[in-house]
Amino acid sequence: MNSDNRNVILAVVLSMLVLFGWQFFIAGPQLERAQQQAEIAATQQAEAQSNLAVPQDGTTPAAGATPASGGVATFADRASAIAASARVEINTPDLDGSINLVGARIDDLELKQYRETTAPDSPIITLLSPAGAPGGYYIEQGWAPAAGANIALPDGQTVWSLVGDTTTLTSATPVTLRYENGQGLIFTRTIAVDDYYLFTITQTVENTGSGDVALFPYARVVRQGTPPVQNFFIQHEGLLGVLGSNNWVARKYHDIQNDRQVDFASTTGWLGIADKYWATAVLPKPGTQINARFAHTLQGQTPVYQSNYVETQPVVVPAGGTASSESFVFAGAKEEQVIAAYERDHGFDRLELLIDWGWFHFLTKPMHWLLVTLYGILGNFGLAILAVTVIVKAIFFPLANRSYASMAAMRRVQPEMKAIQERLKDDRPAQQQAMMELYKKEKINPLSGCWPVLVQIPVFFSLYTVIFISLEMRHAPFFGWIQDLAAPDPTNIFTLFGLIPWDPTVMPLIGSFLHLGIWPVIMGISMWVQMRLNPPPPDPTQAMIFNWMPVIFTFMLGAFPAGLVIYWAWNNTLSIIQQWTIMKRHGAEVNLFGNILDSFKRKPKPADTTKS
């Protein structure tokens, strides 16, 4: 494989990745919003009850045996929904919110350490909101009856009372709620929270009746409405969990709209809903057998998504006695160190997968550790990205040296190769045989330059993934006009960097291509210069691909996070320096400026041989 063909293959692979990225990152969300409206209109209203009981084995409820989530009031805004019921305040170093005494739901939660924008007075992030409010999103625990049992159990409309003098849930002061069903059962729920994002829920039932009662603990996360998602192929946003032998399971919002319902019977683990930077999860005690479900239903025209489980073994409350069940709730930011500590200290099965580490998990996690460590040393996440790229380049220098050495050797014999191709252009087998003899004579392996590059692809893809998913990059400034590395470059050449007061991105069809900042332009130039290190390929098709590839990448990356674009530009720059140095060392001529000038020259038209 000669250097031109290898470069073409790599260019095509990279262009396909970016094309897919653009589809998921820009066009995908636009198409998905339109599709959701069509799907909602086409779905029958009767399916709102599809999360109720399904066929069961014996007396064990399936995951759908939890109470229906429909029939709630609607509110014009979140504040009205919060004010409509009595509440218990939540106040910890990282969380602010309240517990709804109607249903004993955790349905009001904000993340104190994170804001919506980079402005100092920007509102803090809202994670959970009451049912019926815009973007309703809440977490609920409870009890499901055995099949055929007629027991009044607390549900989403039950009014609980606060026990004791503690009126605020803090990391030092749990709160206890109480409800009596009038049939001899007294339910209490003690809710505790740590300094970060883990709630411990202890449900207790006191039986003052004359017969034993069997109840099945359940928990669920419910989200009303489809949230805006980036829908990028390297990160999952939607319903997810780790469920025993099923391992990591996940459904994007549009997937569960099509599936309607996905059950996982007699398993273990946890499940919830994940956004790019935030997540919720309900977690039974490790090792507990559960029936789990992902579900999509409708409330009116509002799609409702649910991740829930019901324990398979009942809690038997003896007559005159009490029984308890303990479970956990995660609701907060996807901070890697916090999640790792929960997994280690509580034994939650692979809770680290709340963060989508991608296809190369074994590479992505160590790279994230290195990136965060350098961030702590350098104090700037952008500098940490540059430093990690240098370190990775240094580690792979021997492979790169071998690759470029092979490329230099191929270039030395290029005149002989062209002579063989011209001499034997009508005899392909003889041409191939002559090429192999030339390789053997010059001790050249044409594939030796490709393998080092292929080995590096997973590593650089992992680095790309880490930069994309890292919570640390959110609202992290770089230098100059880049104040948020997780957002696109705010400048735009199509507005002359703000001098023209218009927004070209709202134009139909082409608007998504008309945001092109300074860093994407720098990236495009660096890519173009890198391709000029080699002479233009003689094949016109290859030459056209090489000429247009930087332009395509420039426009595609215009809407990508600035941190990714800066990484790509820096990686190109290091590659230019590295390739120039290695090829010079191996005696290959590198006429960069000549190649640049040649790319602007008009190619002569071939002579017309049809005339006599």
Side-chain angles (χ1 to χ4, degrees):
M1 181 183 295
N2 61 38
S3 61
D4 288 339
N5 287 335
R6 188 195 64 172
N7 287 337
V8 169
I9 292 172
L10 290 177
V12 170
V13 170
L14 289 174
S15 65
M16 289 177 65
L17 288 175
V18 172
L19 285 170
F20 280 120
W22 177 84
Q23 173 65 28
F24 283 101
F25 195 64
I26 301 170
Q30 298 172 353
L31 294 174
E32 184 177 349
R33 283 192 292 271
Q35 185 180 23
Q36 286 165 2
Q37 296 301 318
E39 289 174 348
I40 290 171
T43 305
Q44 297 298 318
Q45 178 64 31
E47 291 179 35
Q49 299 302 318
S50 66
N51 66 334
L52 299 181
V54 296
Q56 305 165 2
D57 294 324
T59 59
T60 302
T66 59
S69 58
V72 298
T74 58
F75 302 90
D77 53 56
R78 185 173 183 273
S80 299
I82 293 173
S85 58
R87 293 180 170 272
V88 177
E89 184 182 356
I90 300 173
N91 188 0
T92 75
D94 280 0
L95 300 175
D96 192 14
S98 61
I99 300 168
N100 194 342
L101 289 180
V102 177
R105 293 169 171 170
I106 303 175
D107 66 354
D108 168 26
L109 208 59
E110 297 177 314
L111 308 181
K112 289 182 177 179
Q113 306 303 321
Y114 299 95
R115 296 188 177 274
E116 293 181 2
T117 71
T118 56
D121 58 350
S122 172
I124 60 177
I125 289 295
T126 295
L127 181 62
L128 301 180
S129 294
Y137 188 13
Y138 60 88
I139 300 168
E140 180 180 85
Q141 288 78 26
W143 300 97
N150 186 18
I151 304 173
L153 297 176
D155 59 19
Q157 305 304 313
T158 299
V159 178
W160 294 68
S161 59
L162 183 63
V163 176
D165 298 328
T166 302
T167 59
T168 300
L169 173 61
T170 71
S171 54
T173 57
V175 296
T176 299
L177 310 180
R178 184 178 187 273
Y179 166 72
E180 186 171 352
N181 74 344
Q183 298 178 357
L185 297 180
I186 301 172
F187 299 86
T188 58
R189 187 173 299 171
T190 300
I191 304 173
V193 64
D194 67 1
D195 286 337
Y196 300 102
Y197 310 117
L198 191 67
F199 294 81
T200 302
I201 315 295
T202 305
Q203 298 190 90
T204 302
V205 182
E206 180 183 352
N207 184 359
T208 63
S210 57
D212 295 351
V213 175
L215 301 173
F216 296 83
Y218 78 84
R220 64 183 178 182
V221 179
V222 180
R223 186 168 218 165
Q224 299 171 329
T226 306
V229 294
Q230 294 189 341
N231 209 18
F232 201 47
F233 75 101
I234 62 174
Q235 185 179 48
H236 175 75
E237 294 178 84
L239 288 66
L240 83 170
V242 170
L243 297 172
S245 60
N246 297 289
N247 298 310
W248 186 75
V249 293
R251 295 293 187 278
K252 291 183 179 290
Y253 292 107
H254 61 80
D255 292 332
I256 196 61
Q257 286 179 3
N258 294 327
D259 295 340
R260 310 285 173 80
Q261 180 177 298
V262 182
D263 290 320
F264 305 90
S266 299
T267 185
T268 58
W270 54 268
L271 66 168
I273 298 176
D275 299 327
K276 180 175 182 178
Y277 296 120
W278 335 114
T280 56
V282 285
L283 310 98
K285 294 184 71 172
T288 301
Q289 287 288 312
I290 60 174
N291 292 329
R293 170 175 292 178
F294 296 149
H296 166 258
T297 59
L298 286 175
Q299 290 178 352
Q301 293 299 304
T302 302
V304 178
Y305 306 93
Q306 180 169 298
S307 294
N308 71 274
Y309 73 80
V310 179
E311 294 187 15
T312 61
Q313 295 300 314
V315 173
V316 178
V317 190
T322 61
S324 298
S325 173
E326 184 180 70
S327 63
F328 303 88
V329 167
F330 176 91
K334 290 158 64 172
E335 298 176 9
E336 190 274 335
Q337 292 184 350
V338 172
I339 292 173
Y342 290 153
E343 180 178 330
R344 180 182 64 249
D345 298 342
H346 294 273
F348 298 132
D349 185 13
R350 291 165 283 179
L351 189 62
E352 62 172 355
L353 297 183
L354 265 178
I355 303 171
D356 186 359
W357 296 104
W359 302 329
F360 302 105
H361 177 277
F362 62 96
L363 293 173
T364 310
K365 281 204 70 177
M367 205 162 292
H368 178 267
W369 174 86
L370 178 60
L371 192 62
V372 172
T373 300
L374 290 172
Y375 175 39
I377 295 172
L378 300 174
N380 183 285
F381 199 81
L383 292 178
I385 291 173
L386 304 186
V388 168
T389 309
V390 171
I391 292 172
V392 172
K393 281 284 188 183
I395 292 173
F396 281 100
F397 182 82
L399 286 177
N401 183 66
R402 183 176 178 182
S403 175
Y404 292 134
S406 175
M407 187 185 302
M410 293 290 287
R411 293 186 65 172
R412 284 199 303 272
V413 299
Q414 196 75 22
E416 297 178 58
M417 291 172 61
K418 289 182 178 180
I420 292 173
Q421 291 170 348
E422 182 64 27
R423 187 174 71 250
L424 301 173
K425 60 183 177 181
D426 296 327
D427 189 348
R428 296 289 295 179
Q431 183 184 122
Q432 293 295 329
Q433 181 64 31
M435 288 287 192
M436 296 303 298
E437 291 176 358
L438 176 62
Y439 295 152
K440 185 176 180 179
K441 173 186 173 184
E442 298 294 337
K443 297 180 180 180
I444 296 173
N445 181 358
L447 295 179
S448 64
C450 295
W451 287 113
V453 175
L454 294 176
V455 171
Q456 295 177 62
I457 288 176
V459 176
F460 281 99
F461 185 78
S462 296
L463 177 57
Y464 178 87
T465 301
V466 168
I467 294 171
F468 184 83
I469 69 173
S470 290
L471 176 62
E472 292 82 2
M473 192 169 81
R474 183 180 185 271
H475 291 179
F478 187 50
F479 295 105
W481 64 94
I482 301 296
Q483 296 301 309
D484 184 0
L485 285 166
D489 187 327
T491 61
N492 192 350
I493 65 173
F494 294 107
T495 65
L496 294 182
F497 309 110
L499 294 179
I500 304 176
W502 75 301
D503 182 6
T505 63
V506 300
M507 295 181 64
L509 299 179
I510 64 171
S512 58
F513 293 100
L514 299 182
H515 182 93
L516 194 60
I518 295 174
W519 272 108
V521 172
I522 293 174
M523 187 285 305
I525 293 173
S526 68
M527 185 177 184
W528 184 78
V529 171
Q530 184 182 8
M531 289 187 170
R532 300 284 82 74
L533 281 173
N534 297 309
D539 182 74
T541 302
Q542 293 183 8
M544 182 184 67
I545 293 174
F546 271 54
N547 287 334
W548 282 101
M549 194 64 62
V551 178
I552 295 172
F553 269 58
T554 299
F555 280 92
M556 292 294 187
L557 293 181
F560 275 45
L564 287 173
V565 180
I566 292 171
Y567 153 72
W568 206 311
W570 177 238
N571 186 61
N572 289 344
T573 302
L574 293 178
S575 296
I576 292 169
I577 297 171
Q578 187 180 59
Q579 185 175 348
W580 178 298
T581 303
I582 294 175
M583 294 186 73
K584 277 289 190 181
R585 182 189 301 173
H586 286 87
E589 180 184 358
V590 184
N591 186 14
L592 175 60
F593 298 106
N595 294 339
I596 290 175
L597 292 176
D598 288 343
S599 66
F600 291 104
K601 292 179 180 178
R602 183 180 296 274
K603 298 293 187 296
K605 293 183 179 180
D608 189 351
T609 59
T610 61
K611 297 180 179 180
S612 56

